Amino acid sequence: MSLERHFILHKPYGYLSQFRYELKRTKQLLGALYDFPIGTMAIGRLDEDSEGLLLLTTDGRMSELVRSKKVEKEYYVQVDGLVHQDAVALLMAGVVIGFNGKKYKTKPCQAALLATIPDFPSRAKKIRDDRHGPTSWLTITLTEGKFRQIRKMTAAVGFPTLRLVRVRVGTILLGSLASGAVEEVATFDV
């Protein structure tokens, strides 16, 4: 029997994917959402402006496995404007973004326009008014995860990200888990 513990969290908008923050500004941290055991770590990160599926564990080996390039991460992305198939094709082939002060070409990925708008609850901070023009929703699936990669990718093809929600890690789905909710699981079968 493993003593390690594993959690699935629907990270809300405005929270950092960490338990400690050393800088002076006050930030909302994961420990405010649940009484996680000492030694719990987020597997990968979602930036403060992103939301959705975040896996947490006390097992470093599990963290390494899930962060590997073998495990897909799927995101639903709301972007500014009406996306065309040429932009989707560019995303799929890989685009050049800035990373660590250098140019980096992203690996090929899966990308597609979503036929229907996802039924996510409204975000705590309003995204923008409809009067500012149309938006589109994409699904993007990666096996890599550079700093703010999806935001940089959509901007590189002319469609800045307005909302970013991770909906899947490997075979684990966000499903109907409410924003801020935590579910403890026996293990991650990714």
Side-chain angles (χ1 to χ4, degrees), residues 94-107 144 146-147 149 152-153 155-156:
V95 296
V96 176
I97 62 172
F99 179 68
N100 283 343
K102 298 178 183 169
K103 297 293 181 187
Y104 173 81
K105 184 168 182 185
T106 61
K107 306 277 186 246
E144 61 181 340
K146 304 292 185 198
F147 178 71
Q149 179 173 340
K152 292 176 182 180
M153 288 172 65

PDB file of all heavy atoms in Angstrom, residues 94-107 144 146-147 149 152-153 155-156:
ATOM      1  N   GLY A  94       3.701  23.969 -35.737  1.00  0.00           N
ATOM      2  CA  GLY A  94       4.679  24.554 -34.823  1.00  0.00           C
ATOM      3  C   GLY A  94       4.956  25.984 -35.234  1.00  0.00           C
ATOM      4  O   GLY A  94       5.067  26.278 -36.421  1.00  0.00           O
ATOM      5  N   VAL A  95       5.030  26.870 -34.261  1.00  0.00           N
ATOM      6  CA  VAL A  95       5.283  28.283 -34.529  1.00  0.00           C
ATOM      7  C   VAL A  95       6.480  28.738 -33.705  1.00  0.00           C
ATOM      8  O   VAL A  95       6.838  28.119 -32.705  1.00  0.00           O
ATOM      9  CB  VAL A  95       4.052  29.165 -34.209  1.00  0.00           C
ATOM     10  CG1 VAL A  95       2.882  28.819 -35.112  1.00  0.00           C
ATOM     11  CG2 VAL A  95       3.646  29.036 -32.749  1.00  0.00           C
ATOM     12  N   VAL A  96       7.081  29.832 -34.124  1.00  0.00           N
ATOM     13  CA  VAL A  96       8.221  30.383 -33.406  1.00  0.00           C
ATOM     14  C   VAL A  96       7.713  31.321 -32.315  1.00  0.00           C
ATOM     15  O   VAL A  96       6.917  32.223 -32.578  1.00  0.00           O
ATOM     16  CB  VAL A  96       9.178  31.120 -34.367  1.00  0.00           C
ATOM     17  CG1 VAL A  96      10.311  31.780 -33.588  1.00  0.00           C
ATOM     18  CG2 VAL A  96       9.742  30.154 -35.405  1.00  0.00           C
ATOM     19  N   ILE A  97       8.176  31.056 -31.082  1.00  0.00           N
ATOM     20  CA  ILE A  97       7.822  31.893 -29.936  1.00  0.00           C
ATOM     21  C   ILE A  97       9.116  32.286 -29.223  1.00  0.00           C
ATOM     22  O   ILE A  97      10.168  31.700 -29.462  1.00  0.00           O
ATOM     23  CB  ILE A  97       6.870  31.169 -28.950  1.00  0.00           C
ATOM     24  CG1 ILE A  97       7.531  29.910 -28.360  1.00  0.00           C
ATOM     25  CG2 ILE A  97       5.552  30.822 -29.640  1.00  0.00           C
ATOM     26  CD1 ILE A  97       6.747  29.247 -27.237  1.00  0.00           C
ATOM     27  N   GLY A  98       9.021  33.243 -28.325  1.00  0.00           N
ATOM     28  CA  GLY A  98      10.164  33.590 -27.494  1.00  0.00           C
ATOM     29  C   GLY A  98      10.164  32.737 -26.240  1.00  0.00           C
ATOM     30  O   GLY A  98       9.127  32.527 -25.619  1.00  0.00           O
ATOM     31  N   PHE A  99      11.343  32.222 -25.876  1.00  0.00           N
ATOM     32  CA  PHE A  99      11.468  31.424 -24.659  1.00  0.00           C
ATOM     33  C   PHE A  99      12.870  31.623 -24.107  1.00  0.00           C
ATOM     34  O   PHE A  99      13.854  31.382 -24.805  1.00  0.00           O
ATOM     35  CB  PHE A  99      11.195  29.939 -24.949  1.00  0.00           C
ATOM     36  CG  PHE A  99      11.341  29.064 -23.748  1.00  0.00           C
ATOM     37  CD1 PHE A  99      10.454  29.161 -22.686  1.00  0.00           C
ATOM     38  CD2 PHE A  99      12.388  28.167 -23.648  1.00  0.00           C
ATOM     39  CE1 PHE A  99      10.597  28.376 -21.559  1.00  0.00           C
ATOM     40  CE2 PHE A  99      12.533  27.366 -22.529  1.00  0.00           C
ATOM     41  CZ  PHE A  99      11.639  27.472 -21.478  1.00  0.00           C
ATOM     42  N   ASN A 100      12.980  32.082 -22.870  1.00  0.00           N
ATOM     43  CA  ASN A 100      14.272  32.348 -22.223  1.00  0.00           C
ATOM     44  C   ASN A 100      15.143  33.281 -23.051  1.00  0.00           C
ATOM     45  O   ASN A 100      16.351  33.075 -23.190  1.00  0.00           O
ATOM     46  CB  ASN A 100      15.026  31.043 -21.935  1.00  0.00           C
ATOM     47  CG  ASN A 100      14.485  30.318 -20.731  1.00  0.00           C
ATOM     48  OD1 ASN A 100      13.774  30.896 -19.908  1.00  0.00           O
ATOM     49  ND2 ASN A 100      14.816  29.041 -20.618  1.00  0.00           N
ATOM     50  N   GLY A 101      14.531  34.305 -23.644  1.00  0.00           N
ATOM     51  CA  GLY A 101      15.274  35.300 -24.406  1.00  0.00           C
ATOM     52  C   GLY A 101      15.727  34.837 -25.771  1.00  0.00           C
ATOM     53  O   GLY A 101      16.481  35.531 -26.448  1.00  0.00           O
ATOM     54  N   LYS A 102      15.281  33.666 -26.204  1.00  0.00           N
ATOM     55  CA  LYS A 102      15.675  33.124 -27.515  1.00  0.00           C
ATOM     56  C   LYS A 102      14.426  32.742 -28.287  1.00  0.00           C
ATOM     57  O   LYS A 102      13.353  32.611 -27.734  1.00  0.00           O
ATOM     58  CB  LYS A 102      16.559  31.888 -27.331  1.00  0.00           C
ATOM     59  CG  LYS A 102      17.852  32.170 -26.608  1.00  0.00           C
ATOM     60  CD  LYS A 102      18.646  30.899 -26.432  1.00  0.00           C
ATOM     61  CE  LYS A 102      19.909  31.223 -25.635  1.00  0.00           C
ATOM     62  NZ  LYS A 102      20.607  30.043 -25.210  1.00  0.00           N
ATOM     63  N   LYS A 103      14.599  32.537 -29.574  1.00  0.00           N
ATOM     64  CA  LYS A 103      13.509  32.052 -30.415  1.00  0.00           C
ATOM     65  C   LYS A 103      13.437  30.536 -30.278  1.00  0.00           C
ATOM     66  O   LYS A 103      14.448  29.852 -30.218  1.00  0.00           O
ATOM     67  CB  LYS A 103      13.730  32.428 -31.888  1.00  0.00           C
ATOM     68  CG  LYS A 103      13.750  33.919 -32.128  1.00  0.00           C
ATOM     69  CD  LYS A 103      12.399  34.519 -31.885  1.00  0.00           C
ATOM     70  CE  LYS A 103      12.407  36.021 -32.155  1.00  0.00           C
ATOM     71  NZ  LYS A 103      11.179  36.657 -31.792  1.00  0.00           N
ATOM     72  N   TYR A 104      12.208  30.033 -30.216  1.00  0.00           N
ATOM     73  CA  TYR A 104      11.984  28.595 -30.055  1.00  0.00           C
ATOM     74  C   TYR A 104      10.831  28.196 -30.959  1.00  0.00           C
ATOM     75  O   TYR A 104       9.796  28.843 -30.948  1.00  0.00           O
ATOM     76  CB  TYR A 104      11.644  28.282 -28.588  1.00  0.00           C
ATOM     77  CG  TYR A 104      11.242  26.841 -28.358  1.00  0.00           C
ATOM     78  CD1 TYR A 104      12.206  25.850 -28.238  1.00  0.00           C
ATOM     79  CD2 TYR A 104       9.898  26.469 -28.283  1.00  0.00           C
ATOM     80  CE1 TYR A 104      11.845  24.531 -28.042  1.00  0.00           C
ATOM     81  CE2 TYR A 104       9.534  25.152 -28.090  1.00  0.00           C
ATOM     82  CZ  TYR A 104      10.506  24.188 -27.968  1.00  0.00           C
ATOM     83  OH  TYR A 104      10.156  22.875 -27.782  1.00  0.00           O
ATOM     84  N   LYS A 105      11.013  27.134 -31.750  1.00  0.00           N
ATOM     85  CA  LYS A 105       9.909  26.623 -32.569  1.00  0.00           C
ATOM     86  C   LYS A 105       9.221  25.504 -31.803  1.00  0.00           C
ATOM     87  O   LYS A 105       9.849  24.513 -31.425  1.00  0.00           O
ATOM     88  CB  LYS A 105      10.375  26.116 -33.922  1.00  0.00           C
ATOM     89  CG  LYS A 105       9.180  25.681 -34.771  1.00  0.00           C
ATOM     90  CD  LYS A 105       9.504  25.443 -36.201  1.00  0.00           C
ATOM     91  CE  LYS A 105       8.212  25.063 -36.921  1.00  0.00           C
ATOM     92  NZ  LYS A 105       8.429  24.702 -38.288  1.00  0.00           N
ATOM     93  N   THR A 106       7.922  25.689 -31.584  1.00  0.00           N
ATOM     94  CA  THR A 106       7.160  24.691 -30.841  1.00  0.00           C
ATOM     95  C   THR A 106       7.071  23.390 -31.633  1.00  0.00           C
ATOM     96  O   THR A 106       7.134  23.388 -32.861  1.00  0.00           O
ATOM     97  CB  THR A 106       5.752  25.205 -30.507  1.00  0.00           C
ATOM     98  OG1 THR A 106       5.045  25.490 -31.715  1.00  0.00           O
ATOM     99  CG2 THR A 106       5.824  26.456 -29.648  1.00  0.00           C
ATOM    100  N   LYS A 107       6.921  22.305 -30.923  1.00  0.00           N
ATOM    101  CA  LYS A 107       6.766  20.994 -31.559  1.00  0.00           C
ATOM    102  C   LYS A 107       5.390  20.922 -32.230  1.00  0.00           C
ATOM    103  O   LYS A 107       4.450  21.608 -31.816  1.00  0.00           O
ATOM    104  CB  LYS A 107       6.860  19.880 -30.511  1.00  0.00           C
ATOM    105  CG  LYS A 107       8.116  19.931 -29.678  1.00  0.00           C
ATOM    106  CD  LYS A 107       9.249  19.269 -30.386  1.00  0.00           C
ATOM    107  CE  LYS A 107      10.475  19.182 -29.487  1.00  0.00           C
ATOM    108  NZ  LYS A 107      11.594  19.960 -29.922  1.00  0.00           N
ATOM    109  N   GLU A 144       4.539  19.145 -24.794  1.00  0.00           N
ATOM    110  CA  GLU A 144       5.568  19.976 -24.170  1.00  0.00           C
ATOM    111  C   GLU A 144       4.860  21.084 -23.401  1.00  0.00           C
ATOM    112  O   GLU A 144       3.655  21.249 -23.522  1.00  0.00           O
ATOM    113  CB  GLU A 144       6.514  20.563 -25.225  1.00  0.00           C
ATOM    114  CG  GLU A 144       5.834  21.467 -26.235  1.00  0.00           C
ATOM    115  CD  GLU A 144       6.786  22.025 -27.282  1.00  0.00           C
ATOM    116  OE1 GLU A 144       8.009  22.046 -27.054  1.00  0.00           O
ATOM    117  OE2 GLU A 144       6.301  22.448 -28.334  1.00  0.00           O
ATOM    118  N   LYS A 146       6.262  24.819 -22.413  1.00  0.00           N
ATOM    119  CA  LYS A 146       7.124  25.967 -22.134  1.00  0.00           C
ATOM    120  C   LYS A 146       6.309  27.051 -21.430  1.00  0.00           C
ATOM    121  O   LYS A 146       5.080  27.062 -21.484  1.00  0.00           O
ATOM    122  CB  LYS A 146       7.719  26.532 -23.428  1.00  0.00           C
ATOM    123  CG  LYS A 146       8.479  25.525 -24.259  1.00  0.00           C
ATOM    124  CD  LYS A 146       9.737  25.080 -23.569  1.00  0.00           C
ATOM    125  CE  LYS A 146      10.553  24.153 -24.464  1.00  0.00           C
ATOM    126  NZ  LYS A 146      11.510  23.391 -23.708  1.00  0.00           N
ATOM    127  N   PHE A 147       7.000  28.005 -20.820  1.00  0.00           N
ATOM    128  CA  PHE A 147       6.371  29.085 -20.072  1.00  0.00           C
ATOM    129  C   PHE A 147       5.397  29.864 -20.957  1.00  0.00           C
ATOM    130  O   PHE A 147       5.787  30.422 -21.967  1.00  0.00           O
ATOM    131  CB  PHE A 147       7.464  30.015 -19.522  1.00  0.00           C
ATOM    132  CG  PHE A 147       6.936  31.191 -18.760  1.00  0.00           C
ATOM    133  CD1 PHE A 147       6.348  31.022 -17.517  1.00  0.00           C
ATOM    134  CD2 PHE A 147       7.038  32.463 -19.283  1.00  0.00           C
ATOM    135  CE1 PHE A 147       5.868  32.107 -16.804  1.00  0.00           C
ATOM    136  CE2 PHE A 147       6.562  33.553 -18.581  1.00  0.00           C
ATOM    137  CZ  PHE A 147       5.980  33.374 -17.343  1.00  0.00           C
ATOM    138  N   GLN A 149       3.305  28.956 -23.078  1.00  0.00           N
ATOM    139  CA  GLN A 149       3.443  28.510 -24.465  1.00  0.00           C
ATOM    140  C   GLN A 149       2.193  28.716 -25.306  1.00  0.00           C
ATOM    141  O   GLN A 149       2.268  29.232 -26.412  1.00  0.00           O
ATOM    142  CB  GLN A 149       3.865  27.038 -24.505  1.00  0.00           C
ATOM    143  CG  GLN A 149       4.007  26.512 -25.932  1.00  0.00           C
ATOM    144  CD  GLN A 149       4.588  25.117 -25.986  1.00  0.00           C
ATOM    145  OE1 GLN A 149       5.213  24.655 -25.046  1.00  0.00           O
ATOM    146  NE2 GLN A 149       4.378  24.453 -27.108  1.00  0.00           N
ATOM    147  N   LYS A 152       1.548  32.315 -26.116  1.00  0.00           N
ATOM    148  CA  LYS A 152       2.520  32.789 -27.112  1.00  0.00           C
ATOM    149  C   LYS A 152       2.212  32.226 -28.494  1.00  0.00           C
ATOM    150  O   LYS A 152       2.366  32.916 -29.508  1.00  0.00           O
ATOM    151  CB  LYS A 152       3.934  32.411 -26.688  1.00  0.00           C
ATOM    152  CG  LYS A 152       4.401  33.167 -25.454  1.00  0.00           C
ATOM    153  CD  LYS A 152       5.769  32.679 -25.007  1.00  0.00           C
ATOM    154  CE  LYS A 152       6.229  33.375 -23.743  1.00  0.00           C
ATOM    155  NZ  LYS A 152       7.556  32.899 -23.319  1.00  0.00           N
ATOM    156  N   MET A 153       1.767  30.971 -28.558  1.00  0.00           N
ATOM    157  CA  MET A 153       1.448  30.341 -29.843  1.00  0.00           C
ATOM    158  C   MET A 153       0.272  31.032 -30.523  1.00  0.00           C
ATOM    159  O   MET A 153       0.333  31.343 -31.712  1.00  0.00           O
ATOM    160  CB  MET A 153       1.141  28.853 -29.646  1.00  0.00           C
ATOM    161  CG  MET A 153       2.346  27.998 -29.313  1.00  0.00           C
ATOM    162  SD  MET A 153       1.896  26.290 -28.868  1.00  0.00           S
ATOM    163  CE  MET A 153       1.206  25.680 -30.415  1.00  0.00           C
ATOM    164  N   ALA A 155      -0.878  34.017 -30.019  1.00  0.00           N
ATOM    165  CA  ALA A 155      -0.483  35.386 -30.387  1.00  0.00           C
ATOM    166  C   ALA A 155       0.372  35.372 -31.656  1.00  0.00           C
ATOM    167  O   ALA A 155       0.238  36.255 -32.508  1.00  0.00           O
ATOM    168  CB  ALA A 155       0.268  36.050 -29.236  1.00  0.00           C
ATOM    169  N   ALA A 156       1.238  34.358 -31.797  1.00  0.00           N
ATOM    170  CA  ALA A 156       2.122  34.267 -32.966  1.00  0.00           C
ATOM    171  C   ALA A 156       1.344  34.101 -34.267  1.00  0.00           C
ATOM    172  O   ALA A 156       1.830  34.492 -35.338  1.00  0.00           O
ATOM    173  CB  ALA A 156       3.105  33.107 -32.799  1.00  0.00           C
TER     174      ALA A 156
END
